[in-house]
Amino acid sequence: MFSASKMLPGVRSVVVIGAGYVGLTLSVFLASRGVRTVCVERDAERAGKIMRGHSPIHEEGLPELLKKVIREGMLEARTELGDTLEGADIVFITVGTPTGSNGGPDLSQVEEASRQIGEALAATKRGSPLIVVKSTVPPGTTWNIVRPIIESASGRSCGEGFHLCVNPEFLREGSALQDTITPDRIVIGAKHGVASEKLVRFYEALYQPAKIPTLITTPSNAELIKLATNAFLALKISFINLISQLCESLEDGDVGVVAEGLGLDPRIGPLFLRAGLGFGGSCLPKDLRALKAFTSSRGVDISLLEAILNINRAQRIRVVERAERLLGSLAGKRVAVLGLAFKPGTDDVREAASIDVIRELLARGAEVSVHDPVATENARNLLDKTVHYASSAEDCLDGADLAIIATEWPEYASLTPNKIKTKMRNPLLIDGRRVLNPQPLEEAGIKVYTVGRSSEAV
Ligand code: UGA
């Protein structure tokens, strides 16, 4: 069924286990570069959708490329590993590691994938494939959990019957395909040179003529680099949100300007200093909790990590408290929430600030209408039935006493004073993502409260 014409030299085929953001994007990219790819996804509906060329996630460029590689026969999605390891050179594990009941990650999907790989290896006659752990896991997982499971299920030993390494993923949702096509770094953790060299050669062939900066280290270091990177990004966001609270308390404070000043120091840099409702998504909060659980398990002080999470939680509540102060009481008041996705460019609402804000508004008696250009369907599963889903931003504002911008979709930045005034019962905005220029709105008689800016500073 595969066409052999476009294969990348030196690699026959690759198996990717798990069709989430990382696994699906990687699979489509590899297939587009001439690597025969089998994506194993246990959710039959999701696998079927992929086989029909329909992307189960909203990611720029992905639907078109997925259709193309399915049409060309370079990508196959199936629900079982079966005999796919026969002839496979590399197996990527890209299954989820959600937060478990103890706050640390639930590794059951990684363990299950490892067991399946081991069993498939036991039934495979040829080759010693390279197993690559791309799922985000705590330090020590690959060597102390994945390796023994594969060894005992396969009867083979690591370094001979198969090779093993860690290769964390740094792609961002919303630009997942672009980040996969042009990664800014590659981190590989392995105990044996054979494993890391094989992956280095594969990536060199894949990305040539570009030379991607590559760090080769131990499995635990590679695992820690991933968790520490996300935790550091979260630290920057919570830090600027702490500063934003200070700015709000000043008579002429504006966190945008303070962040700009901070970013001028090359040791700090300007990125990830956007104040607002804080970080959400399936990665930063989860990985921070994973690092906290790991830190605690090593007897190391977790207070810095806890502070990052606390500040993040507080940003969401503060905005609702502000709404309550502005309206006196929220009971029976109509509040429009613009944006549901945890950030623009995605339909992902996991741990989105909007969800907590909406729940808190409802708990205080508000009637809530919401809008998002792409994430409405995903939000329906998480929100109370009383929430009204508007088909446009204007509809969402209709009759509202207050509007809160929860996601910085570009269309919200272009809301004109006229539209806001004609639609809202009471022209009052809380800009939770700092997307609006308050000046023309205030001049038109609209009251704007921007996170991180004192009202007098407008
Ligand atoms: C994050 C990392 O950025 C990726 O490098 C990593 O690969 C990924 O997690 C992962 O572990 O899989 P992602 O969750 O897609 O990527 O989103 P980010 O762009 O990091 O944004 C996370 C959250 O922080 C969003 O809610 C965003 O609105 C918020 N944010 C970001 C801010 O509030 N301020 C900022 O300055 C930047």
Side-chain angles (χ1 to χ4, degrees):
M1 162 232 335
F2 282 126
S3 93
S5 58
K6 294 182 63 206
M7 278 175 54
L8 197 74
V11 176
R12 288 162 300 173
S13 73
V14 162
V15 175
V16 177
I17 303 181
Y21 278 86
V22 173
L24 180 60
T25 311
L26 176 68
S27 299
V28 170
F29 169 60
L30 291 178
S32 76
R33 294 300 312 270
V35 182
R36 297 183 310 171
T37 304
V38 178
C39 184
V40 182
E41 167 57 52
R42 64 182 178 175
D43 179 339
E45 200 185 318
R46 201 173 173 93
K49 217 169 169 183
I50 295 168
M51 274 316 275
R52 291 193 299 281
H54 299 309
S55 174
I57 53 176
H58 176 90
E59 271 298 333
E60 200 184 330
L62 198 62
E64 299 81 4
L65 203 55
L66 171 63
K67 270 196 181 65
K68 183 170 178 283
V69 294
I70 291 284
R71 204 174 45 234
E72 291 173 348
M74 293 305 290
L75 174 66
E76 181 195 347
R78 46 155 83 192
T79 53
E80 301 284 337
L81 197 50
D83 61 358
T84 48
L85 288 202
E86 204 72 60
D89 297 283
I90 305 179
V91 183
F92 288 98
I93 300 178
T94 58
V95 294
T97 51
T99 302
S101 50
N102 62 354
D106 173 358
L107 297 175
S108 58
Q109 292 179 53
V110 171
E111 290 165 4
E112 176 59 18
S114 309
R115 194 183 52 73
Q116 285 173 7
I117 291 168
E119 287 170 2
L121 274 178
T124 304
K125 288 166 205 71
R126 291 183 302 126
S128 309
L130 172 64
I131 319 296
V132 182
V133 177
K134 255 195 179 300
S135 300
T136 301
V137 293
T141 305
T142 301
W143 199 249
N144 300 322
I145 297 177
V146 173
R147 178 186 56 93
I149 293 176
I150 299 177
E151 283 184 333
S152 84
S154 66
R156 299 182 180 203
S157 61
C158 183
E160 288 169 21
F162 68 95
H163 303 284
L164 183 62
C165 64
V166 183
N167 172 219
E169 179 54 58
F170 300 106
L171 66 77
R172 295 158 301 170
E173 288 185 25
S175 53
L177 188 59
Q178 201 46 50
D179 289 352
T180 307
I181 294 170
T182 51
D184 45 21
R185 78 282 208 194
I186 293 171
V187 173
I188 298 172
K191 289 268 190 190
H192 304 127
V194 179
S196 49
E197 277 157 28
K198 192 168 175 176
L199 196 57
V200 166
R201 277 200 307 276
F202 176 65
Y203 282 141
E204 273 174 2
L206 197 62
Y207 291 116
Q208 55 95 10
K211 297 250 176 289
I212 314 294
T214 301
L215 177 73
I216 298 169
T217 180
T218 63
S220 294
N221 280 343
E223 290 162 330
L224 189 53
I225 285 168
K226 167 68 192 194
L227 287 184
T229 302
N230 274 356
F232 195 80
L233 293 173
L235 169 73
K236 285 188 91 173
I237 297 168
S238 277
F239 180 81
I240 203 65
N241 280 333
L242 171 80
I243 300 299
S244 92
Q245 293 180 19
L246 297 180
C247 288
E248 287 169 18
S249 77
L250 300 171
E251 66 179 33
D252 52 359
D254 184 346
V255 74
V257 182
V258 177
E260 195 182 335
L262 276 168
L264 290 175
D265 186 328
R267 294 168 302 178
I268 297 173
L271 301 179
F272 270 69
L273 289 178
R274 273 182 292 113
L277 295 182
F279 56 85
S282 67
C283 305
L284 261 50
K286 167 181 83 77
D287 292 351
L288 204 51
R289 287 192 294 266
L291 186 62
K292 190 179 130 187
F294 182 71
T295 304
S296 172
S297 77
R298 298 284 145 157
V300 175
D301 185 3
I302 57 168
S303 53
L304 174 64
L305 303 174
E306 274 187 327
I308 300 171
L309 287 163
N310 289 342
I311 293 170
N312 200 48
R313 216 171 292 122
Q315 285 302 95
R316 300 171 181 202
I317 302 302
R318 279 171 62 87
V319 92
V320 180
E321 286 170 352
R322 168 70 62 154
E324 195 159 47
R325 273 202 304 281
L326 290 170
L327 291 177
S329 154
L330 286 170
K333 297 283 166 44
R334 181 91 185 261
V335 180
V337 175
L338 296 174
L340 295 166
F342 82 96
K343 67 174 186 179
T346 177
D347 60 353
D348 197 342
V349 294
R350 286 176 288 177
E351 305 213 30
S354 65
I355 304 296
D356 280 347
V357 167
I358 292 164
R359 287 182 179 153
E360 196 60 36
L361 288 168
L362 292 171
R364 294 173 193 229
E367 289 169 22
V368 178
S369 68
V370 299
H371 172 261
D372 191 282
V374 295
T376 306
E377 280 320 304
N378 288 339
R380 272 184 211 277
N381 306 325
L382 298 178
L383 291 174
D384 191 86
K385 298 277 171 287
T386 59
V387 169
H388 169 72
Y389 293 88
S391 55
S392 67
E394 285 82 9
D395 267 6
C396 188
L397 294 178
D398 205 6
D401 297 294
L402 170 84
I404 299 175
I405 297 181
T407 313
E408 60 273 43
W409 286 104
E411 59 216 79
Y412 302 147
S414 56
L415 281 169
T416 61
N418 195 26
K419 270 185 196 154
I420 294 168
K421 279 183 89 171
T422 50
K423 284 288 176 187
M424 291 183 75
R425 185 154 60 193
N426 178 29
L428 179 58
L429 296 177
I430 297 182
D431 184 358
R433 293 294 181 181
R434 304 178 50 84
V435 293
L436 296 171
N437 177 3
Q439 201 100 36
L441 298 173
E442 292 273 0
E443 279 164 16
I446 299 165
K447 182 94 191 94
V448 185
Y449 162 75
T450 308
V451 169
R453 177 161 35 208
S454 56
S455 310
E456 291 80 357
V458 174

